[in-house]
Amino acid sequence: MDARTLPPVIRLGDDDTVLIARIGLPPGTPVMEGVAVRDRRVPPGHKVAVRAHAVGDAIRRYGQIIGFATEVIQPGDWVHTHNCAMGDFAKDYGWGVDAKPTALITPAATFQGFRRADGRAATRNYIGIVTSVNCSAHVAELIADAFKKNPFTGTDPLADFPNVDGVVALTHKTGCGMTMGEPLKLLRRTLAGFARHVNFSHVIAIGLGCEVNQLGPMLEEQRLAGRLRNMDIQEMGGTRKTVEAGIAFVREVLAEANQAVRETIPASELTIALQCGGSDGYSGITANPALGVASDLLVRHGGTVILSETPETYGAEHLLTRRAVSREVGEKLVGLMRWWEEYTEREGAEMNANPSPGNKAGGLTTILEKSLGAMAKAGSTNLVEVYRYAEPVTAKGFVFMDTPGYDPVAATGQVAGGANLVCFTTGRGSVFGCKPAPSIKLATNSAMYERMSEDMDINCGGIVTGEESVAECGQRIFELILRVASGERTMSEAYDFGGAEFAPWTLGATM
């Protein structure tokens, strides 16, 4: 289709009361028969009213309520935060009414991955260093730095180990001065998820020795005792001795780690973390639904996709409960929403605070609108299970994990749960990685893609300009998933993203 013949606006639902600006719309631009933009320019990706709204009337996009008019809105008006706000409305959870059998594709697609001794399939082959507390962070980084390639001299300590992707230190800002109970359990569950992650061949755990999150109890509680090397800086005799011992351990296991060889593995053994960050008004039109197509393809090949970011599902959860395989699964999701309502109220916040300034500048007005676009990443298959943050994901198909909306924290939980690859959509231009899982970046619009092409892996903006369909773009994403799982490097990997982005969810008071 010639982009010059496309209409200036996009309609997403037959009963929508707003349309989306494909391009900037100056006053006087016709948007449909009898309706033209009135006295304010509508920016690209933003909304223009095509029906009159009285104060309190529902505003609809995707055929769903995204907010309510806070002032009289005339056809042709720009609709955004100045005249649209959140409000309560009844939701029909319709437990499982839209659930249907998933038709599996045979023969299943395959990728070239690493088969571990316990039978699990890896997409990367790293050696990992996890830290019990922030006090051991620098020591862990010194160990990892000893195995990094020098960009000035070209010296590469891993040159003789081509099957090892690197040595990664996963550091964080907590582990002591924290409350016991759920905050400590959550941190330990997250660290354990990375310690046993399939993309690590070997792992060291580094502690200080006097922290709340003691290594010994953590390893016992998480059933990691005997499965990894652990060192306390105080017991080892200080920084130098611990770093030397850590480096010696890595050198000791490098040859064994390098014996891993890629082999043909069915796509059913892929678990994909679905993420979005720096979203804009095009996210729910291009990259998110295209990723939804790829998600459906992976599920139909027997694989698993993890949707998360509970605050960014808020207000649209009733569309997922209708796809739940059982009322029990649907009620788990609704229970998370009630917890978040109580949590934000207790913290003096509100759920609608989630859209960031960048989201709003890109055209998103309320959390309802953001949620409807965000959940498109999960496609259309059944919701088969709901997990706590960083809980091991064992189900096949589309699952949900409870996480905050902040993408580094959310992705950390998903990868701790077992995701061996991340797909990340962005409209404003988020740069992100999440070692040991490779991260694929999907741009929602061509302007940002062209501006940040060195950070983006796929441009989904052609959907807006008519160059390809959502289904065609989704197929491209699925094919790239298989190539990346087989070893093709992503843009974030080229910049060595993924260690500093490790961000466990912090609950409770800092003492």
Side-chain angles (χ1 to χ4, degrees):
M1 182 182 296
D2 188 341
R4 292 171 297 182
T5 66
L6 292 171
V9 290
I10 301 168
R11 178 182 287 276
L12 299 174
D14 292 339
D15 58 350
D16 284 359
T17 63
V18 293
L19 305 183
I20 311 305
R22 194 185 300 271
I23 55 176
L25 306 177
T29 304
V31 294
M32 62 178 292
E33 186 175 352
V35 178
V37 176
R38 294 183 75 216
D39 53 356
R40 297 181 68 176
R41 178 181 181 272
V42 179
H46 284 243
K47 299 173 288 295
V48 57
V50 291
R51 297 182 191 173
H53 298 73
V55 175
D57 281 355
I59 297 170
R60 292 181 178 271
R61 175 182 176 175
Y62 305 108
Q64 301 291 327
I65 294 172
I66 63 167
F68 298 86
T70 57
E71 60 183 54
V72 173
I73 299 174
Q74 299 294 342
D77 280 347
W78 175 35
V79 176
H80 199 35
T81 53
H82 60 285
N83 56 11
C84 174
M86 282 277 287
D88 292 328
F89 61 98
K91 302 181 183 72
D92 179 9
Y93 292 121
W95 313 106
V97 297
D98 294 331
K100 54 185 181 296
T102 299
L104 295 179
I105 297 174
T106 55
T110 61
F111 69 101
Q112 297 297 305
F114 299 103
R115 179 69 72 185
R116 299 299 189 195
D118 62 5
R120 295 181 300 160
T123 62
R124 293 293 183 269
N125 188 36
Y126 284 101
I127 294 171
I129 308 170
V130 298
T131 51
S132 65
V133 65
N134 181 249
C135 306
S136 58
H138 185 59
V139 167
E141 289 171 344
L142 289 174
I143 297 169
D145 287 348
F147 297 93
K148 286 187 177 179
K149 183 176 181 179
N150 189 310
F152 303 104
T153 65
T155 303
D156 184 1
L158 299 180
D160 294 332
F161 307 96
N163 295 331
V164 177
D165 290 300
V167 180
V168 183
L170 300 171
T171 66
H172 55 94
K173 303 300 183 185
T174 185
C176 201
M178 64 188 301
T179 54
M180 306 292 280
E182 184 58 24
L184 182 59
K185 289 181 180 178
L186 188 148
L187 175 61
R188 287 178 169 177
R189 190 164 69 235
T190 305
L191 293 172
F194 277 80
R196 63 171 64 94
H197 197 281
V198 68
N199 284 1
F200 284 134
S201 64
H202 300 81
V203 176
I204 319 172
I206 306 289
L208 177 61
C210 56
E211 62 270 25
V212 169
N213 184 30
Q214 291 280 298
L215 273 181
M218 182 185 80
L219 300 182
E220 288 293 336
E221 175 188 301
Q222 296 297 324
R223 300 180 181 179
L224 291 169
R227 296 185 58 180
L228 72 165
R229 188 73 59 89
N230 61 289
M231 305 173 187
D232 278 329
I233 297 168
Q234 293 167 350
E235 290 185 7
M236 296 294 294
T239 297
R240 179 183 60 80
K241 292 178 180 178
T242 309
V243 171
E244 288 178 349
I247 290 173
F249 170 78
V250 174
R251 287 175 175 162
E252 176 187 326
V253 301
L254 271 172
E256 181 181 351
N258 193 59
Q259 292 176 4
V261 178
R262 290 187 181 272
E263 61 182 80
T264 302
I265 296 174
S268 59
E269 298 191 49
L270 287 175
T271 299
I272 309 295
L274 307 176
Q275 272 299 316
C276 57
S279 301
D280 67 356
Y282 295 121
S283 295
I285 301 171
T286 61
N288 287 357
L291 180 53
V293 169
S295 295
D296 283 350
L297 286 171
L298 183 62
V299 170
R300 292 184 63 202
H301 281 280
T304 303
V305 296
I306 309 172
L307 183 66
S308 68
E309 301 175 296
T310 313
E312 297 183 13
T313 310
Y314 184 76
E317 69 273 12
H318 59 291
L319 301 180
L320 294 183
T321 60
R322 300 174 70 86
R323 291 162 53 186
V325 293
S326 69
R327 179 169 183 142
E328 178 186 10
V329 169
E331 287 182 337
K332 284 185 183 179
L333 182 64
V334 174
L336 297 181
M337 301 303 162
R338 302 293 84 82
W339 183 93
W340 275 92
E341 289 175 337
E342 296 170 1
Y343 176 62
T344 52
E345 182 178 1
R346 186 169 67 246
E347 298 296 325
E350 61 179 23
M351 295 297 285
N352 195 45
N354 178 278
S356 68
N359 294 155
K360 292 177 180 178
L364 297 175
T365 303
T366 68
I367 186 56
L368 299 177
E369 181 178 18
K370 187 175 182 180
S371 294
L372 287 163
M375 64 183 289
K377 301 190 299 291
S380 62
T381 60
N382 298 339
L383 173 64
V384 300
E385 189 54 277
V386 175
Y387 291 95
R388 297 175 300 164
Y389 185 87
E391 192 174 12
V393 173
T394 57
K396 292 291 187 180
F398 159 44
V399 305
F400 189 90
M401 176 178 285
D402 182 30
T403 76
Y406 184 36
D407 26 278
V409 179
T412 295
Q414 292 171 307
V415 174
N420 51 16
L421 195 148
V422 178
C423 285
F424 192 116
T425 70
T426 180
R428 305 291 290 175
S430 179
V431 295
F432 181 78
C434 199
K435 290 180 180 177
S439 179
I440 297 173
K441 285 297 179 21
L442 311 172
T444 72
N445 65 87
S446 297
M448 185 275 287
Y449 176 82
E450 291 166 2
R451 187 172 65 252
M452 299 184 64
S453 59
E454 294 178 351
D455 289 280
M456 299 294 120
D457 295 289
I458 280 189
N459 178 24
C460 303
I463 296 170
V464 174
T465 57
E467 297 167 61
E468 67 177 343
S469 66
V470 169
E472 290 168 337
C473 188
Q475 180 66 39
R476 282 201 299 128
I477 295 169
F478 180 68
E479 292 169 0
L480 180 60
I481 286 172
L482 297 179
R483 298 201 307 273
V484 168
S486 299
E488 181 175 316
R489 296 291 165 178
T490 66
M491 293 298 189
S492 67
E493 289 180 293
Y495 285 110
D496 202 31
F497 277 100
E501 290 75 19
F502 177 72
W505 186 7
T506 303
L507 287 177
T510 300
M511 310 296 285

